[in-house]
Amino acid sequence: MKKIILTVLLFFVVSFAANAANVVPDVVSLNNTNTFGVYQVGHSIVLYNEPDENSGIKKKIVWDKENVIPQDLTKPDLFVLYLEKQDFALMAVTDETEDWVEVIYNGKTGETGWIKKDDPYKFNTWVNFYSMYGRKYGLKILSGAPEDVIYMYGSPEASVKKISTMNKPELINLNLIRGNWMLVTVVDLDKTPKTGYIRWRNDDGVKYLFPNLK
């Protein structure tokens, strides 16, 4: 009987996870390492072959809270971040011009297309994105991050002596970003605030932390 109950519970947990509307990174990903920012998109996405309206339409995508058309794409394929309640969606940007952004529209295959900007302020570099949302919501360590992500330093370089270690941090507050390093203030198990630099991404763009959006 216990096995049956556990199986049913597991089914509902898996089903809920599969159908969960929000797309918020929890695991270190290699999919968006060759990107340098994000672009906020609306419910109708028109992708061109090149940053030129005469280059031809590569793909049209329409989405809402329930569906994505074409149906071979899912929200995790499309978006690096999607918050259902706020109806807020961001796509990863691989290139940019004054009027256009090149985005990844299929995270599984890495396929890209160009979107004509309808608002220049919808584009943010990763540093601007982290500065904005990391300061507001704090940060979380992604599953799969290297073990040394918990080390805190007195300056933004790994060659200096460690000054502290994050121990199951309850809060990671972002103060500033310098390249691949962040100055953070952490409150962990001992409830004592600690401030120092941590490495938030490697030289290849692999991110170890993400704003703690919910």
Side-chain angles (χ1 to χ4, degrees):
M1 184 66 181
K2 287 183 178 179
K3 287 184 178 180
I4 294 173
I5 293 172
L6 286 172
T7 301
V8 171
L9 286 173
L10 181 60
F11 171 80
F12 281 109
V13 169
V14 171
S15 297
F16 177 79
N19 294 309
N22 289 346
V23 177
V24 182
D26 287 311
V27 179
V28 169
S29 172
L30 300 178
N31 288 344
N32 300 310
T33 57
N34 294 321
T35 62
F36 65 94
V38 289
Y39 185 74
Q40 182 182 348
V41 293
H43 291 274
S44 179
I45 303 167
V46 180
L47 297 160
Y48 289 83
N49 291 301
E50 300 293 339
D52 182 344
E53 289 182 276
N54 295 320
S55 67
I57 293 175
K58 186 173 188 177
K59 203 172 194 69
K60 290 184 178 180
I61 300 168
V62 179
W63 62 274
D64 57 26
K65 290 184 178 181
E66 287 77 34
N67 302 296
V68 176
I69 300 172
Q71 294 181 341
D72 60 328
L73 292 173
T74 66
K75 288 191 176 80
D77 294 331
L78 275 175
F79 305 131
V80 69
L81 175 70
Y82 170 64
L83 302 176
E84 182 186 36
K85 186 176 180 180
Q86 294 87 340
D87 200 29
F88 181 71
L90 298 175
M91 297 179 75
V93 174
T94 57
D95 200 358
E96 184 209 15
T97 70
E98 184 178 354
D99 299 317
W100 296 79
V101 286
E102 184 184 41
V103 298
I104 297 174
Y105 68 85
N106 190 330
K108 291 190 184 78
T109 63
E111 291 173 281
T112 63
W114 288 89
I115 297 176
K116 189 171 185 180
K117 296 177 183 175
D118 57 8
D119 183 342
Y121 295 102
K122 289 184 178 180
F123 168 74
N124 275 293
T125 64
W126 281 117
V127 170
N128 288 342
F129 171 75
Y130 272 74
S131 295
M132 187 184 308
Y133 293 98
R135 287 175 185 272
K136 185 175 182 179
Y137 297 103
L139 301 160
K140 63 181 178 181
I141 298 174
L142 296 174
S143 176
E147 293 182 3
D148 59 4
V149 73
I150 63 174
Y151 296 149
M152 304 177 72
Y153 300 84
S155 61
E157 50 186 311
S159 59
V160 302
K161 185 177 179 180
K162 295 188 291 289
I163 60 172
S164 191
T165 301
M166 294 188 288
N167 184 18
K168 295 184 179 179
E170 297 178 3
L171 293 171
I172 304 177
N173 295 316
L174 174 62
N175 299 321
L176 61 86
I177 298 176
R178 288 187 178 175
N180 295 329
W181 294 81
M182 291 177 168
L183 181 65
V184 298
T185 299
V186 177
V187 178
D188 58 18
L189 288 178
D190 62 10
K191 305 296 184 182
T192 302
K194 299 181 285 189
T195 299
Y197 284 93
I198 61 172
R199 187 77 182 256
W200 70 280
R201 65 181 178 186
N202 69 12
D203 293 336
D204 294 324
V206 177
K207 300 163 191 67
Y208 304 145
L209 295 96
F210 199 82
N212 195 24
L213 294 151
K214 296 179 181 177

